[in-house]
Amino acid sequence: MATKASVTMKMLANRVGNFVPTTCIKNISWLCHSQSQLLRGYTTEKKEQAIADDATPVDQKKVPQSLEIERLTQELAEVKEQNSELLDKYKRALADSENMRTRLNKQISDAKIFGIQSFCKDLLEVADTLGHATQAVPKEKLNGNSDLKNLFEGLSMTRASLLQVFKRHGLEPIDPINEKFNPNLHEALFQKEDSTVEANTVIEVTKLGYKLHERCIRPALVGVSK
């Protein structure tokens, strides 16, 4: 743009040179040169301003991007923390449900096994009665009395059959004679001095105890040595 203006002014000066004195022509040339320098300075200033304008938005864009990255990083950390808390709650809930399932299965199994416990306790009285009846029969009179012998044999067979039914369902008698006293299975009625055995040994069984699948449903009534 500055070059075109200078050329134009020079052409004008050449055309006017034929009519204007030399001094005026020199002045016109100086004005053209000055105008060219001014235009060049203005053009350079404009370029520098444009470069500065182009550079400023880039720096200004870096600040919002940095803030956005910081915000996203913070949100990611919060989401990770929430995920960790939810995962911990899920594991706890899963463990609780598994424990509950195990307890329920055990309760169901125990109900199947020990559901007949009350019924067994009632039948134990029948077994005790049959045992007392057979023990009350005098053995020396069995050979001379066939009726008494038949009754004794019938009672013995009935008691044996009942004990077999007990065993089939997991009910077993506890006869702890000459065993160490166990408070979980035995109930001491009395103590008696006996030098032939050690102290706290069962020396007499007054009433048999019973276990249902390793659970004591009735302790044996015993006498213990001291």
Side-chain angles (χ1 to χ4, degrees), residues 49-187:
Q49 183 65 31
I51 293 172
D53 292 341
D54 292 339
T56 301
V58 175
D59 295 336
Q60 291 178 351
K61 288 180 181 178
K62 289 182 180 179
V63 176
Q65 288 179 356
S66 177
L67 294 176
E68 183 69 14
I69 292 173
E70 184 178 355
R71 184 181 65 81
L72 292 175
T73 303
Q74 184 177 0
E75 290 182 357
L76 179 61
E78 292 176 356
V79 170
K80 285 183 177 181
E81 184 177 359
Q82 292 177 359
N83 179 66
S84 178
E85 292 178 358
L86 292 175
L87 184 61
D88 182 66
K89 290 180 180 179
Y90 168 73
K91 289 181 178 180
R92 291 178 182 272
L94 188 63
D96 290 341
S97 62
E98 183 66 20
N99 292 336
M100 182 177 294
R101 187 181 67 83
T102 303
R103 287 197 302 270
L104 289 176
N105 288 338
K106 188 177 185 304
Q107 290 176 0
I108 292 172
S109 178
D110 290 345
K112 290 179 180 179
I113 294 174
F114 303 107
I116 60 172
Q117 180 171 325
S118 298
F119 180 65
C120 290
K121 285 183 177 180
D122 294 336
L123 285 180
L124 293 181
E125 299 299 330
V126 178
D128 292 338
T129 302
L130 290 173
H132 294 321
T134 55
Q135 291 175 2
V137 176
K139 303 298 186 296
E140 64 275 5
K141 294 183 179 181
L142 292 178
N143 295 329
N145 192 334
S146 59
D147 294 334
L148 183 60
K149 184 178 180 180
N150 292 334
L151 177 61
F152 175 78
E153 291 177 352
L155 291 174
S156 299
M157 292 174 63
T158 303
R159 185 173 183 273
S161 179
L162 184 60
L163 292 178
Q164 288 179 358
V165 173
F166 285 172
K167 187 175 182 180
R168 190 182 308 132
H169 291 279
L171 185 63
E172 297 179 355
I174 301 174
D175 188 3
I177 191 69
N178 294 328
E179 294 181 2
K180 278 290 185 181
F181 178 76
N182 185 350
N184 297 321
L185 301 176
H186 313 146
E187 182 178 345

Side-chain angles (χ1 to χ4, degrees), residues 22-38:
T22 306
T23 304
C24 294
I25 294 173
K26 290 181 179 180
N27 291 334
I28 291 172
S29 299
W30 181 81
L31 289 173
C32 291
H33 179 72
S34 298
Q35 184 181 13
S36 176
Q37 292 294 327
L38 288 173

